[in-house]
PDB file of all heavy atoms in Angstrom:
ATOM      1  N   GLN A  26      -6.995   7.179  -5.002  1.00  0.00           N
ATOM      2  CA  GLN A  26      -6.749   6.250  -3.904  1.00  0.00           C
ATOM      3  C   GLN A  26      -7.803   6.497  -2.839  1.00  0.00           C
ATOM      4  O   GLN A  26      -7.993   7.626  -2.398  1.00  0.00           O
ATOM      5  CB  GLN A  26      -5.347   6.503  -3.320  1.00  0.00           C
ATOM      6  CG  GLN A  26      -4.268   6.303  -4.379  1.00  0.00           C
ATOM      7  CD  GLN A  26      -2.870   6.450  -3.814  1.00  0.00           C
ATOM      8  OE1 GLN A  26      -2.668   7.117  -2.808  1.00  0.00           O
ATOM      9  NE2 GLN A  26      -1.920   5.805  -4.474  1.00  0.00           N
ATOM     10  N   CYS A  27      -8.463   5.450  -2.462  1.00  0.00           N
ATOM     11  CA  CYS A  27      -9.479   5.693  -1.454  1.00  0.00           C
ATOM     12  C   CYS A  27      -9.662   4.536  -0.501  1.00  0.00           C
ATOM     13  O   CYS A  27      -9.210   3.416  -0.744  1.00  0.00           O
ATOM     14  CB  CYS A  27     -10.788   6.121  -2.106  1.00  0.00           C
ATOM     15  SG  CYS A  27     -11.757   4.774  -2.679  1.00  0.00           S
ATOM     16  N   HIS A  28     -10.328   4.862   0.578  1.00  0.00           N
ATOM     17  CA  HIS A  28     -10.539   3.887   1.639  1.00  0.00           C
ATOM     18  C   HIS A  28     -12.025   3.579   1.776  1.00  0.00           C
ATOM     19  O   HIS A  28     -12.855   4.481   1.674  1.00  0.00           O
ATOM     20  CB  HIS A  28     -10.013   4.479   2.963  1.00  0.00           C
ATOM     21  CG  HIS A  28     -10.592   3.808   4.166  1.00  0.00           C
ATOM     22  ND1 HIS A  28     -11.588   4.398   4.920  1.00  0.00           N
ATOM     23  CD2 HIS A  28     -10.358   2.588   4.699  1.00  0.00           C
ATOM     24  CE1 HIS A  28     -11.924   3.562   5.894  1.00  0.00           C
ATOM     25  NE2 HIS A  28     -11.201   2.468   5.778  1.00  0.00           N
ATOM     26  N   VAL A  29     -12.363   2.321   1.947  1.00  0.00           N
ATOM     27  CA  VAL A  29     -13.751   1.993   2.275  1.00  0.00           C
ATOM     28  C   VAL A  29     -13.776   1.161   3.539  1.00  0.00           C
ATOM     29  O   VAL A  29     -12.899   0.349   3.787  1.00  0.00           O
ATOM     30  CB  VAL A  29     -14.477   1.202   1.141  1.00  0.00           C
ATOM     31  CG1 VAL A  29     -14.778   2.094  -0.020  1.00  0.00           C
ATOM     32  CG2 VAL A  29     -13.691  -0.009   0.699  1.00  0.00           C
ATOM     33  N   ALA A  30     -14.794   1.414   4.336  1.00  0.00           N
ATOM     34  CA  ALA A  30     -14.925   0.665   5.584  1.00  0.00           C
ATOM     35  C   ALA A  30     -16.065  -0.338   5.465  1.00  0.00           C
ATOM     36  O   ALA A  30     -16.212  -1.238   6.268  1.00  0.00           O
ATOM     37  CB  ALA A  30     -15.195   1.616   6.736  1.00  0.00           C
ATOM     38  N   GLU A  31     -16.847  -0.151   4.415  1.00  0.00           N
ATOM     39  CA  GLU A  31     -18.054  -0.950   4.279  1.00  0.00           C
ATOM     40  C   GLU A  31     -17.877  -1.938   3.143  1.00  0.00           C
ATOM     41  O   GLU A  31     -17.290  -1.595   2.118  1.00  0.00           O
ATOM     42  CB  GLU A  31     -19.212  -0.004   3.959  1.00  0.00           C
ATOM     43  CG  GLU A  31     -20.544  -0.654   4.071  1.00  0.00           C
ATOM     44  CD  GLU A  31     -21.631   0.279   3.551  1.00  0.00           C
ATOM     45  OE1 GLU A  31     -21.294   1.325   2.991  1.00  0.00           O
ATOM     46  OE2 GLU A  31     -22.787  -0.069   3.704  1.00  0.00           O
ATOM     47  N   GLY A  32     -18.385  -3.130   3.296  1.00  0.00           N
ATOM     48  CA  GLY A  32     -18.110  -4.159   2.300  1.00  0.00           C
ATOM     49  C   GLY A  32     -19.272  -4.535   1.413  1.00  0.00           C
ATOM     50  O   GLY A  32     -19.204  -5.534   0.722  1.00  0.00           O
ATOM     51  N   THR A  33     -20.356  -3.717   1.398  1.00  0.00           N
ATOM     52  CA  THR A  33     -21.461  -4.109   0.527  1.00  0.00           C
ATOM     53  C   THR A  33     -21.009  -3.966  -0.926  1.00  0.00           C
ATOM     54  O   THR A  33     -20.181  -3.119  -1.257  1.00  0.00           O
ATOM     55  CB  THR A  33     -22.702  -3.227   0.730  1.00  0.00           C
ATOM     56  OG1 THR A  33     -22.358  -1.886   0.402  1.00  0.00           O
ATOM     57  CG2 THR A  33     -23.211  -3.305   2.146  1.00  0.00           C
ATOM     58  N   ALA A  34     -21.561  -4.828  -1.773  1.00  0.00           N
ATOM     59  CA  ALA A  34     -21.169  -4.853  -3.180  1.00  0.00           C
ATOM     60  C   ALA A  34     -21.368  -3.475  -3.808  1.00  0.00           C
ATOM     61  O   ALA A  34     -20.509  -2.977  -4.528  1.00  0.00           O
ATOM     62  CB  ALA A  34     -21.986  -5.902  -3.921  1.00  0.00           C
ATOM     63  N   VAL A  35     -22.501  -2.852  -3.485  1.00  0.00           N
ATOM     64  CA  VAL A  35     -22.812  -1.540  -4.048  1.00  0.00           C
ATOM     65  C   VAL A  35     -21.689  -0.561  -3.770  1.00  0.00           C
ATOM     66  O   VAL A  35     -21.216   0.157  -4.638  1.00  0.00           O
ATOM     67  CB  VAL A  35     -24.087  -0.981  -3.364  1.00  0.00           C
ATOM     68  CG1 VAL A  35     -24.349   0.434  -3.794  1.00  0.00           C
ATOM     69  CG2 VAL A  35     -25.265  -1.860  -3.655  1.00  0.00           C
ATOM     70  N   PHE A  36     -21.254  -0.564  -2.534  1.00  0.00           N
ATOM     71  CA  PHE A  36     -20.280   0.435  -2.140  1.00  0.00           C
ATOM     72  C   PHE A  36     -18.918   0.149  -2.739  1.00  0.00           C
ATOM     73  O   PHE A  36     -18.244   1.050  -3.234  1.00  0.00           O
ATOM     74  CB  PHE A  36     -20.191   0.506  -0.612  1.00  0.00           C
ATOM     75  CG  PHE A  36     -19.763   1.862  -0.178  1.00  0.00           C
ATOM     76  CD1 PHE A  36     -20.709   2.862  -0.050  1.00  0.00           C
ATOM     77  CD2 PHE A  36     -18.432   2.165   0.002  1.00  0.00           C
ATOM     78  CE1 PHE A  36     -20.316   4.142   0.282  1.00  0.00           C
ATOM     79  CE2 PHE A  36     -18.034   3.444   0.339  1.00  0.00           C
ATOM     80  CZ  PHE A  36     -18.990   4.435   0.479  1.00  0.00           C
ATOM     81  N   LEU A  37     -18.520  -1.134  -2.739  1.00  0.00           N
ATOM     82  CA  LEU A  37     -17.214  -1.486  -3.290  1.00  0.00           C
ATOM     83  C   LEU A  37     -17.153  -1.159  -4.777  1.00  0.00           C
ATOM     84  O   LEU A  37     -16.176  -0.602  -5.259  1.00  0.00           O
ATOM     85  CB  LEU A  37     -16.921  -2.975  -3.052  1.00  0.00           C
ATOM     86  CG  LEU A  37     -16.545  -3.324  -1.611  1.00  0.00           C
ATOM     87  CD1 LEU A  37     -16.415  -4.826  -1.448  1.00  0.00           C
ATOM     88  CD2 LEU A  37     -15.233  -2.645  -1.223  1.00  0.00           C
ATOM     89  N   VAL A  38     -18.247  -1.492  -5.484  1.00  0.00           N
ATOM     90  CA  VAL A  38     -18.255  -1.247  -6.929  1.00  0.00           C
ATOM     91  C   VAL A  38     -18.158   0.249  -7.201  1.00  0.00           C
ATOM     92  O   VAL A  38     -17.365   0.689  -8.030  1.00  0.00           O
ATOM     93  CB  VAL A  38     -19.521  -1.850  -7.583  1.00  0.00           C
ATOM     94  CG1 VAL A  38     -19.681  -1.354  -9.012  1.00  0.00           C
ATOM     95  CG2 VAL A  38     -19.448  -3.369  -7.559  1.00  0.00           C
ATOM     96  N   SER A  39     -18.933   1.046  -6.470  1.00  0.00           N
ATOM     97  CA  SER A  39     -18.893   2.478  -6.760  1.00  0.00           C
ATOM     98  C   SER A  39     -17.548   3.076  -6.353  1.00  0.00           C
ATOM     99  O   SER A  39     -17.042   3.972  -7.027  1.00  0.00           O
ATOM    100  CB  SER A  39     -20.064   3.209  -6.126  1.00  0.00           C
ATOM    101  OG  SER A  39     -20.052   2.987  -4.767  1.00  0.00           O
ATOM    102  N   ALA A  40     -16.958   2.551  -5.295  1.00  0.00           N
ATOM    103  CA  ALA A  40     -15.638   3.040  -4.874  1.00  0.00           C
ATOM    104  C   ALA A  40     -14.608   2.722  -5.950  1.00  0.00           C
ATOM    105  O   ALA A  40     -13.772   3.552  -6.302  1.00  0.00           O
ATOM    106  CB  ALA A  40     -15.250   2.394  -3.554  1.00  0.00           C
ATOM    107  N   LEU A  41     -14.714   1.511  -6.480  1.00  0.00           N
ATOM    108  CA  LEU A  41     -13.797   1.069  -7.538  1.00  0.00           C
ATOM    109  C   LEU A  41     -13.924   1.963  -8.768  1.00  0.00           C
ATOM    110  O   LEU A  41     -12.939   2.385  -9.365  1.00  0.00           O
ATOM    111  CB  LEU A  41     -14.128  -0.380  -7.894  1.00  0.00           C
ATOM    112  CG  LEU A  41     -12.972  -1.294  -8.279  1.00  0.00           C
ATOM    113  CD1 LEU A  41     -11.829  -1.200  -7.284  1.00  0.00           C
ATOM    114  CD2 LEU A  41     -13.470  -2.741  -8.344  1.00  0.00           C
ATOM    115  N   ARG A  42     -15.169   2.266  -9.104  1.00  0.00           N
ATOM    116  CA  ARG A  42     -15.404   3.151 -10.254  1.00  0.00           C
ATOM    117  C   ARG A  42     -14.777   4.517 -10.032  1.00  0.00           C
ATOM    118  O   ARG A  42     -14.186   5.097 -10.935  1.00  0.00           O
ATOM    119  CB  ARG A  42     -16.909   3.333 -10.484  1.00  0.00           C
ATOM    120  CG  ARG A  42     -17.528   2.261 -11.295  1.00  0.00           C
ATOM    121  CD  ARG A  42     -19.028   2.519 -11.362  1.00  0.00           C
ATOM    122  NE  ARG A  42     -19.747   1.301 -11.642  1.00  0.00           N
ATOM    123  CZ  ARG A  42     -19.953   0.843 -12.872  1.00  0.00           C
ATOM    124  NH1 ARG A  42     -19.519   1.514 -13.903  1.00  0.00           N
ATOM    125  NH2 ARG A  42     -20.608  -0.282 -13.064  1.00  0.00           N
ATOM    126  N   CYS A  43     -14.924   5.007  -8.804  1.00  0.00           N
ATOM    127  CA  CYS A  43     -14.346   6.310  -8.455  1.00  0.00           C
ATOM    128  C   CYS A  43     -12.844   6.292  -8.682  1.00  0.00           C
ATOM    129  O   CYS A  43     -12.278   7.209  -9.263  1.00  0.00           O
ATOM    130  CB  CYS A  43     -14.624   6.618  -6.974  1.00  0.00           C
ATOM    131  SG  CYS A  43     -15.892   7.843  -6.749  1.00  0.00           S
ATOM    132  N   VAL A  44     -12.217   5.214  -8.216  1.00  0.00           N
ATOM    133  CA  VAL A  44     -10.762   5.070  -8.340  1.00  0.00           C
ATOM    134  C   VAL A  44     -10.371   5.035  -9.816  1.00  0.00           C
ATOM    135  O   VAL A  44      -9.473   5.749 -10.258  1.00  0.00           O
ATOM    136  CB  VAL A  44     -10.287   3.792  -7.615  1.00  0.00           C
ATOM    137  CG1 VAL A  44      -8.870   3.437  -8.011  1.00  0.00           C
ATOM    138  CG2 VAL A  44     -10.404   3.970  -6.116  1.00  0.00           C
ATOM    139  N   ILE A  45     -11.094   4.239 -10.590  1.00  0.00           N
ATOM    140  CA  ILE A  45     -10.766   4.103 -12.020  1.00  0.00           C
ATOM    141  C   ILE A  45     -10.967   5.437 -12.747  1.00  0.00           C
ATOM    142  O   ILE A  45     -10.099   5.879 -13.499  1.00  0.00           O
ATOM    143  CB  ILE A  45     -11.608   2.979 -12.670  1.00  0.00           C
ATOM    144  CG1 ILE A  45     -11.202   1.627 -12.063  1.00  0.00           C
ATOM    145  CG2 ILE A  45     -11.417   2.969 -14.186  1.00  0.00           C
ATOM    146  CD1 ILE A  45     -12.184   0.508 -12.346  1.00  0.00           C
ATOM    147  N   ASP A  46     -12.104   6.084 -12.470  1.00  0.00           N
ATOM    148  CA  ASP A  46     -12.379   7.375 -13.119  1.00  0.00           C
ATOM    149  C   ASP A  46     -11.293   8.391 -12.786  1.00  0.00           C
ATOM    150  O   ASP A  46     -10.813   9.111 -13.659  1.00  0.00           O
ATOM    151  CB  ASP A  46     -13.735   7.935 -12.666  1.00  0.00           C
ATOM    152  CG  ASP A  46     -14.891   7.198 -13.310  1.00  0.00           C
ATOM    153  OD1 ASP A  46     -14.628   6.388 -14.225  1.00  0.00           O
ATOM    154  OD2 ASP A  46     -16.047   7.425 -12.892  1.00  0.00           O
TER     155      ASP A  46
END
Side-chain angles (χ1 to χ4, degrees):
Chain A
Q26 300 184 335
C27 83
H28 160 256
V29 287
E31 192 188 8
T33 62
V35 173
F36 207 84
L37 285 174
V38 168
S39 57
L41 215 49
R42 275 176 203 274
C43 255
V44 166
I45 294 165
D46 285 351

